Structures are given as structure tokens and as C-alpha cells.
Amino acid sequence: MALTKTHNRMLSGAVISAFDYDGDNAGEQIANAIDGLPVGGGVIDARGFTGTQTIASDIFASRTTPFTLLLGEAIFEIDLTSYGLSLNSNQQVILNGTTCQPSTSNPTGFSTTASFFRSNITETTGTISASSASLVLASVAGLEVGSLVAVNGASGVNTNSQTTLSSTIDGSVTTIPLVDASDLPATYTVFIGSEIIIGTEKSGNDLINVTRGVYGTSPVGHTSGDTVSLSPYFRAVVESIAGTTVTLSGNATTAVTSARVLYGITNSSVSGIGIIDGRSDRTIAAPAKNSFGIFLNLATRFTIGDDLVFRKWDHGGVHLQSSWSNYVGGRYYANSRPADSTGANLWLFRNSSFNVVNIAEMTDSYVGLYIDDRTSSANLYDGSSNKNTISLPFVSATTNAIEISGSNNNTIVAGFVQSTSSTAISVATNSQGSTLRSADSNTIRVGAVSGSPAAASIRNSNNYIEIGSTDGGIDVASTCDSYVSVKDGTSAGEYLGSAVVNPTWFHQAKEGGAIRIASTEVSMVADEEIGRFEVYGSEASSPGAGVKGAITVEDAGGTG
């Protein structure tokens, strides 16, 4: 899909004032104004509201008319314990000196994904064949070319979340005994052989009250030890719509009939100049359910404006889940709870890919930018977050300022990256699940990095890391086949990891600097290759000058 920096636009058609419509509060007046728009949509001017205004319900969720809503210098409040504002496709909200916030400080969110603004989701059913991009839906209401579709069961098995049967079952039982059910989510779709089983209940290691043989499969007997695999959503973008037949951007792995289908919104935005304030109080206990400023799920071509400020949200300023080809801008302050080891300023989570991120500043959080495939318990949305392009002039966090976990082919360009108490940049295999996803082929270019015990930690292959200067070492672990370049640093950069199975290029261009190879691997054999190094003296030096003593090798008791 083509992506531009902003999708905001003043829709053609009516321009009306929210003050021309009755209502007990500003939210009702705006809702009635939306209802007053023609089918083609228009502009609602609500800039005349001042002071503190209440939006007493989710006024957008059931209203699908395209609109551009202009808000002014007022404080708009919602009851985050009960609802957020759910935008549909082609709906734009533009702030003009506006503050959007919960009506109470430190609120417990209405769900674990509670947020002030959020993208709406539509549910229907559909049928698709294996190796096919043609999906037939029961309804296409609100679906548009460019929308992201999720089809339950059509992605086949997920090796990242697997277990086995603990005993033999026949085709009629509704309790599925597992060796370990801890990684399966509360709502699950699993494969045993070719049978698809769905459910929403667990008891210990048993899946209970399940529905067998769904989506065109048949309930059959299975043997103790058979593999049980979670099946995440098959996701693809709508390329064309003909009646109820939709052509997708990719082919399904497995065939499903009358399966659950979800689709998200496209071409919407929250932009302008304003503050989206979570009102979190870090001095008191964390709420039972944390919240976000904006939560996008299955959204495409959504714009989050450059001049927005996100602050004091318990779990994150912005959270993208399975959202593709969006633009994320803004400034982010104190979104997370470091004392509770929770949250990040910005999440690109669970298969959020192809997004463009341009953040002016990001500070005072537990994690700064988090690019991740899943969390401690699996989810039907799980998947690597890949091919995002990110610009971060300044990012500072308590732990990892930039963390890429189980995700690939992301490009990050940053100015200054700082962790106040941990490694500033982390690129690693996710430690969660049965078969772990690696983090490969990411590119990170940073002007300066500050972190301890290491400036950067690289754990996977084919990553390209280029650092201008650093006050800490570089931790490169085993099985890496990556390029790491450090131009300058007070501790010069160090190889701190175990034996490298695949050679790593480590380029240290610091006059008078040193590379210390400090292997802790006791199983290394003599003459084992652990990497390739280039060391330079001053620019005026002749080739080879100043190299003597630049590399030292320290033995930790092994045979290498």
C-alpha cells in the first residue's frame, strides 16, 4: 500500500457546527452533529467548546459516516473505566490546543487495552481455501480496499505455542487434557492434526467446554502425545471487493469454512496540536488494568500526528497491535510504570509491520520503543513485527531505550539513545513460547549511545549496528553473524559474549582505542574463528600504523 506522512484531509461536503445540535454535554452535541451529516460526510466544527467538557459514551463506535472533527482549546474527558472513543474508517480528529484525558487520575481501564482513542473492529464470518487469496464473507459492511483482515484458523499451526495431549481422546469429548496449557490464551484456536478446536475456558492444564471440529473440520480421536498448536489469525490486506468476495494480498495456509473474521479500519487519524494525558500517578499502586493514549488493532493508514504529546499513560502512549502501514508521530513522556517494570512509550506489537514512525522525543519510561512479537502468554494476534521504519532523534528509558524482540527487517535511525540503568539497545530472540522467534536483519544507526553494563546487546544474525560514540561496551552473543561498527567510545567497545558460532564483523574505528575479546565460553576449541576485526589508528596514519596492541584476547579458562 502507498503510504504518505499524513492522511488528514477536509472532507468535501457539509461543514456544520456542533453548537447547532442539542445535547446534555459536548459529547452528545458532537454525536448529534455526526448524525446530521450527509452520507458522504463532512466537517464538524467543535472548536467553540472551552473549559472541561464531558464525552459520556463512545460516541464514534456506531457512527460510520466519514467526518473531520475540529476540537479547540478545551479539556475533553471520558470515563476510561467504561469506554474509549472507537474511530471507524475515514474519520479524522484534529486537536487545536486540546487536552484529552480520563475523568479521574490513575484509572483502572475498562480492559487490558483501554485507551482514549482506539480503532474499531468489525466481526463477521468467512470461507477461504488453502493457498487461496479469495475470501467470501457473510458481510462486507464497512470494509474497504486497504483494510486489514484477520481470519481465524487460516494460518495453520504456530510452532511458537505448542504442547501435547497428556492422554488419548475420542471425537466426542469437550475436555482436552494437555501436558502444559500455560502458554495458551484465554480465547484459543488450536489444531490437533487437521481438526480445529476453539474455546474460552481452561482448568489447570485442561481445555474445557471446547467446540470440536469447527470451520469445516471434523471431530476425530487423537492419541496421547499428539501435538496441540495454537493457530494465530491469518492476516492480509484487502486488494479488491466484488460483492461479498474479497481478494487479499496473501494466500491462506489452511482452508476454513464459516470461520470468525475480523477487520479493522483504514484512512483515519488523530492529529493537530494537543495533549493526550493519561493522568497516571506513579506514587501510588498500579491500577488493575493499565491503559494507553491510542490503541490500534488491525488498523491501516492511520495517522498519529507529529505535534501531539502523549504523557503519563500507565502502559504506553501509543500501542499498535497487528497494525500495518500506519504513520506514528508525536512526543512521548513518562508513559509506563518503571517501578512496576511495566510498559513502554511506544509499542509495535504482535505483527505490527510496515509502519513509519517519526518521534521527536521519547523520555522517562520503563522501555522506550518496544518492537515485539508477543508477551508471556500467547495470543491469536501473535507474530513478528517486521519492516518498520523508525526515526528517533532522542530516546531515554530506565531499561532498554530500544528493544527489538522476535522481529525482523526493521530500520531505526536515532540521534541519542540512553538507558539510565540497563543496556540501551537490545536485539534478541524472544524468550517466550515453545519455539522462539529470532530477531534478524535489523538495521540500527545511532549517533551516540549511553548504557550500562553495555551500550548495545546483539543476540541474532545479520543485524547491522552502527554507533557513532558510546560510553559502554557492545555485547555480542553466540550464533551472531552481524556487523557492528563503533566509531568512538570511552570504553572502546567490547566483545563480552560467548563463542560466536558464525563470524561477526566488529569494526572499531577509535584512535588509541581497543577491542577486548573476553569469551566466557569454556567449550571453544583452539583456533576457532569468533569474528573479523578492523582496527584503525588516526586518519593520518599509514596502513597498519598504530595497530599493535589494539586487540587483546582474554581467556576465561577454556581451551580456545
Side-chain angles (χ1 to χ4, degrees):
M1 290 181 293
L3 178 69
T4 58
K5 181 175 178 181
T6 179
H7 310 295
N8 295 334
R9 59 194 184 282
M10 300 293 281
L11 297 172
S12 60
V15 179
I16 62 178
S17 171
F19 288 96
D20 292 337
Y21 292 83
D22 295 331
D24 292 336
N25 54 61
E28 288 188 8
Q29 289 180 266
I30 292 170
N32 290 332
I34 295 172
D35 293 339
L37 288 171
V39 174
V43 179
I44 299 169
D45 190 346
R47 289 174 293 182
F49 289 109
T50 59
T52 300
Q53 301 291 332
T54 298
I55 299 178
S57 64
D58 187 355
I59 59 174
F60 301 148
S62 62
R63 294 176 168 87
T64 59
T65 303
F67 64 73
T68 296
L69 173 62
L70 307 178
L71 300 178
E73 295 182 2
I75 299 172
F76 288 89
E77 294 187 341
I78 64 171
D79 180 5
L80 198 66
T81 66
S82 300
Y83 57 91
L85 301 182
S86 304
L87 289 164
N88 292 292
S89 292
N90 303 307
Q91 295 181 341
Q92 329 293 327
V93 178
I94 301 177
L95 312 186
N96 296 274
T98 312
T99 297
C100 299
Q101 66 185 33
S103 55
T104 59
S105 62
N106 218 53
T108 292
F110 62 86
S111 75
T112 56
T113 60
S115 58
F116 194 97
F117 292 106
R118 56 198 296 107
S119 60
N120 213 359
I121 295 290
T122 300
E123 181 173 345
T124 185
T125 58
T127 298
I128 192 168
S129 299
S131 303
S132 172
S134 182
L135 172 67
V136 179
L137 296 174
S139 171
V140 294
L143 184 67
E144 298 206 0
V145 171
S147 294
L148 187 58
V149 171
V151 185
N152 200 13
S155 66
V157 302
N158 173 19
T159 59
N160 178 254
S161 185
Q162 289 183 320
T163 184
T164 56
L165 288 176
S166 61
S167 62
T168 296
I169 60 173
D170 62 27
S172 64
V173 300
T174 58
T175 295
I176 310 299
L178 304 179
V179 170
D180 183 4
S182 61
D183 194 45
L184 295 180
T187 297
Y188 46 83
T189 301
V190 297
F191 272 84
I192 308 178
S194 60
E195 181 185 356
I196 302 177
I197 300 169
I198 60 175
T200 58
E201 296 180 73
K202 296 194 296 182
S203 177
N205 286 323
D206 293 340
L207 308 182
I208 62 174
N209 299 320
V210 303
T211 304
R212 302 282 304 272
V214 299
Y215 304 159
T217 65
S218 300
V220 295
H222 303 285
T223 303
S224 177
D226 282 355
T227 300
V228 180
S229 304
L230 186 71
S231 181
Y233 290 117
F234 163 67
R235 283 150 288 203
V237 173
V238 175
E239 293 188 338
S240 65
I241 305 171
T244 59
T245 300
V246 175
T247 301
L248 301 175
S249 60
N251 295 335
T253 301
T254 52
V256 290
T257 302
S258 298
R260 184 185 191 215
V261 176
L262 306 176
Y263 51 89
I265 69 169
T266 190
N267 294 319
S268 293
S269 68
V270 178
S271 63
I273 300 173
I275 299 172
I276 301 178
D277 190 347
R279 303 184 68 185
S280 173
D281 184 351
R282 294 183 178 183
T283 66
I284 64 176
K289 294 178 181 178
N290 294 318
S291 51
F292 305 94
I294 295 180
F295 179 82
L296 301 182
N297 188 17
L298 297 177
T300 61
R301 296 175 177 171
F302 194 105
T303 293
I304 296 173
D306 291 328
D307 295 318
L308 297 179
V309 172
F310 295 88
R311 69 185 186 192
K312 297 183 178 180
W313 291 92
D314 282 306
H315 213 99
V318 170
H319 184 117
L320 273 62
Q321 175 174 272
S322 287
S323 292
W324 296 3
S325 303
N326 302 285
Y327 179 86
V328 181
R331 298 174 182 268
Y332 296 73
Y333 306 111
N335 298 293
S336 68
R337 299 183 69 94
D340 300 312
S341 302
T342 299
N345 263 319
L346 172 61
W347 295 78
L348 301 179
F349 197 44
R350 290 181 174 138
N351 192 235
S352 286
S353 300
F354 317 111
N355 299 290
V356 174
V357 177
N358 184 25
I359 303 299
E361 188 174 20
M362 181 181 286
T363 65
D364 193 20
S365 60
Y366 180 62
V367 175
L369 168 67
Y370 208 158
I371 305 176
D372 198 7
D373 65 329
R374 56 164 291 172
T375 187
S376 55
S377 179
N379 183 288
L380 295 180
Y381 290 102
D382 285 354
S384 296
S385 295
N386 303 329
K387 298 183 179 180
N388 297 288
T389 303
I390 298 150
S391 174
L392 293 166
F394 180 87
V395 54
S396 177
T398 303
T399 56
N400 304 132
I402 296 173
E403 182 167 350
I404 302 177
S405 180
S407 300
N408 312 297
N409 298 107
N410 297 286
T411 299
I412 300 175
V413 178
F416 180 66
V417 178
Q418 177 188 48
S419 171
T420 58
S421 62
S422 185
T423 299
I425 299 171
S426 174
V427 181
T429 295
N430 197 331
S431 60
Q432 299 152 336
S434 50
T435 301
L436 306 182
R437 298 186 182 97
S438 62
D440 297 330
S441 303
N442 296 286
T443 298
I444 302 177
R445 293 184 172 94
V446 182
V449 181
S450 176
S452 177
S457 174
I458 314 302
R459 287 290 182 270
N460 293 127
S461 298
N462 298 316
N463 294 290
Y464 183 98
I465 314 298
E466 185 178 292
I467 297 173
S469 64
T470 173
D471 62 3
I474 308 299
D475 179 359
V476 182
S478 60
T479 71
C480 276
D481 185 4
S482 296
Y483 180 93
V484 181
S485 171
V486 183
K487 289 187 176 180
D488 192 17
T490 57
S491 61
E494 302 175 332
Y495 173 81
L496 299 174
S498 304
V500 176
V501 176
N502 300 308
T504 294
W505 281 92
F506 193 108
H507 172 196
Q508 174 70 36
K510 172 181 167 60
E511 182 176 356
I515 296 172
R516 180 169 69 91
I517 307 172
S519 176
T520 59
E521 178 61 64
V522 298
S523 62
M524 287 179 67
V525 298
D527 301 321
E528 180 176 354
E529 184 177 18
I530 65 171
R532 301 172 184 268
F533 299 85
E534 300 174 9
V535 184
Y536 300 91
S538 66
E539 292 181 2
S541 300
S542 60
V547 172
K548 182 178 181 180
I551 299 178
T552 63
V553 180
E554 298 183 8
D555 190 345
T559 59

